[in-house]
Amino acid sequence: MSHKEDNEGKRSPHVTDLYASVPQTCLPIVYHPDYNITFMGLEKLHPFDAGKWGKVIHFLKEEQFITDGNIVEAREATEEDLLVVHTKRYINRLKWSLVVATITEIPPLLFLPNFLVQRKVLRPLRTQTGGTIMAGKLAVDRGWAINVGGGFHHCSGDRGGGFCAYADITLTIKFLFERVEGISRATIIDLDAHQGNGHERDFLDDRRVFIMDMYNRYIYPGDGYAKRAIKRKVELDWGTEDSEYLQKVELHSEGALNEIRSDIIVYNAGTDILDGDPLGGLSISPQGIVKRDEIVFRAAKRRGIPILMVTSGGYQKKTARIIADSILNLHRQGLIGAEAVEGEGSSSSLVTHMMRGSGSAGSTFTAV
């Protein structure tokens, strides 16, 4: 892959703040107020709710599940962090406002000086990217973790698109492979409505990463080259509803986790599958989304595999409430929370033992 060329010759991992120790009193839920993009209303020119991450946190606080003191504050990924996956050429291209306007699909950014674009648009995305990397390590340490942002699955090492400027999923897995002993295989379960062509391009020739991708076959990006990386491909039709969808989620997530012994699951939990989403083209109810997340977390817990969830796409104002409701349901079901990991093994030996023998139309926008 082309992005490897710029990253050759690294003999040992660089020094990073993203793996700093986290107090045991904190839940492995990662967030920072800087996730939210607000700048002169320009964020409203894309259907993405650029403040949804803060709304999720607000709802979780209202339900007294979290406080400011018991969640993990995300740190911004530095250029050196990003260069673990991204080419220097790509990082330099982001210093052109035209490039960022194209990636984020917010045309007026073209006319802004790049220092403003960096501060108001790219810094929030770098902070979310740092949050995903942090949550990857937390998932290994605690058995589960949720980054309330992230899931930029259209970005690869040398190109962005669909509101995705940094390859946080690839970065998280590469950080784990390089820095955490015992993490040598990963499974990506991508249930956003769109194909996750970014991480697919990055891991096209990497047998350590098993990719399951379930998406609307008729919408962006339609990346045939990237599809070659998908080990379990589930292509959905317009308007797929709960019953068929949830049956396929359970069948294929179980199947994916039975295919290889995995040390970490990265779960891309896009809510653009919601009925009425302007870009997703599927017809899943709020209750269906909550149940979907429960199915995936339950499959991970049964096998003792650490799981990291990122929130990815979702283009309606009500998606923040649904994400919060899903997190609360995971807690009620005993799948997350301090009690969820007590007595739960997250070692690869347990995973190995437990897995033996199982075998929108017309829109000019794309999407996360």
Side-chain angles (χ1 to χ4, degrees):
M1 292 175 286
S2 61
H3 72 268
K4 289 182 179 176
E5 296 169 6
D6 285 1
N7 297 323
E8 291 292 331
K10 291 198 172 184
R11 296 179 183 177
S12 61
H14 69 282
V15 176
T16 181
D17 289 335
L18 300 180
Y19 272 16
S21 63
V22 171
Q24 287 293 324
T25 52
C26 289
L27 289 168
I29 295 175
V30 184
Y31 171 72
H32 194 288
D34 286 353
Y35 280 14
N36 304 287
I37 300 172
T38 54
F39 183 51
M40 295 168 51
L42 289 178
E43 70 280 358
K44 296 177 182 175
L45 296 177
H46 191 287
F48 198 96
D49 179 3
K52 77 173 184 180
W53 308 286
K55 295 173 188 172
V56 173
I57 293 296
H58 171 74
F59 292 135
L60 293 176
K61 286 179 179 176
E62 274 193 338
E63 299 291 338
Q64 300 183 333
F65 177 56
I66 62 169
T67 66
D68 286 332
N70 72 355
I71 60 173
V72 179
E73 186 172 87
R75 302 183 182 199
E76 180 182 351
T78 66
E79 181 168 313
E80 199 169 11
D81 293 326
L82 298 171
L83 287 171
V84 169
V85 166
H86 289 292
T87 62
K88 185 73 172 176
R89 177 176 177 272
Y90 176 73
I91 297 298
N92 286 337
R93 288 185 68 230
L94 294 177
K95 295 173 183 175
W96 293 88
S97 296
L98 171 61
V99 172
V100 181
T102 302
I103 289 171
T104 60
E105 299 171 341
I106 305 175
L109 293 180
L110 164 65
F111 303 107
L112 296 179
N114 190 258
F115 80 89
L116 281 178
V117 174
Q118 292 286 334
R119 184 185 308 161
K120 296 295 187 178
V121 179
L122 291 181
R123 180 184 291 168
L125 300 182
R126 286 193 297 269
T127 305
Q128 291 192 42
T129 296
T132 304
I133 297 169
M134 294 169 69
K137 177 63 161 57
L138 281 166
V140 173
D141 292 342
R142 307 287 187 86
W144 66 276
I146 297 170
N147 182 16
V148 173
F152 304 130
H153 64 159
H154 297 309
C155 188
S156 62
D158 56 6
R159 71 178 191 179
F163 206 77
C164 302
Y166 301 107
D168 67 322
I169 291 174
T170 306
L171 280 159
T172 298
I173 292 171
K174 289 287 183 73
F175 263 66
L176 289 170
F177 284 170
E178 287 183 0
R179 295 168 182 270
V180 181
E181 187 176 354
I183 305 298
S184 60
R185 287 181 180 266
T187 293
I188 298 170
I189 297 180
D190 195 333
L191 299 186
D192 187 275
H194 301 81
Q195 176 200 352
N197 61 320
H199 58 72
E200 287 161 10
R201 283 177 170 263
D202 285 334
F203 292 120
L204 188 62
D205 300 314
D206 195 331
R207 293 187 178 182
R208 299 172 297 174
V209 181
F210 185 99
I211 299 174
M212 169 190 160
D213 200 350
M214 190 161 106
Y215 54 87
N216 183 338
R217 69 175 77 215
Y218 299 110
I219 61 175
Y220 175 89
D223 189 338
Y225 178 78
K227 285 180 185 179
R228 297 190 301 158
I230 305 173
K231 304 297 193 302
R232 185 170 283 255
K233 178 173 62 179
V234 188
E235 298 190 321
L236 303 173
D237 291 320
W238 291 110
T240 298
E241 297 181 348
D242 284 21
S243 178
E244 176 188 352
Y245 181 82
L246 292 173
Q247 186 177 31
K248 287 182 174 178
V249 168
E250 185 152 25
L251 174 67
H252 292 288
S253 58
E254 291 284 343
L257 296 176
N258 288 340
E259 293 245 7
I260 68 164
R261 176 199 62 79
S262 190
D263 303 309
I264 182 73
I265 298 166
V266 179
Y267 171 37
N268 197 49
T271 47
D272 51 1
I273 63 172
L274 182 65
D275 186 23
D277 189 278
L279 302 181
L282 303 176
S283 299
I284 309 305
S285 70
Q287 296 78 13
I289 291 173
V290 170
K291 185 63 178 176
R292 174 199 69 173
D293 296 348
E294 181 184 328
I295 288 169
V296 176
F297 269 76
R298 201 172 290 284
K301 185 176 183 181
R302 270 200 303 272
R303 294 166 172 81
I305 308 175
I307 182 169
L308 157 63
M309 172 176 151
V310 289
T311 58
S312 202
Y315 306 94
Q316 300 183 70
K317 296 297 182 185
K318 54 189 173 184
T319 58
R321 177 77 251 183
I322 296 167
I323 294 167
D325 286 345
S326 179
I327 293 171
L328 293 167
N329 178 65
L330 293 173
H331 181 242
R332 282 194 300 270
Q333 299 296 327
L335 298 170
I336 66 171
E339 66 279 9
V341 294
E342 288 177 5
E344 287 289 326
S346 60
S347 68
S348 57
S349 60
L350 176 61
V351 174
T352 304
H353 172 73
M354 297 186 73
M355 292 180 64
R356 294 295 183 222
S358 302
S360 85
S363 172
T364 58
F365 292 105
T366 52
V368 174

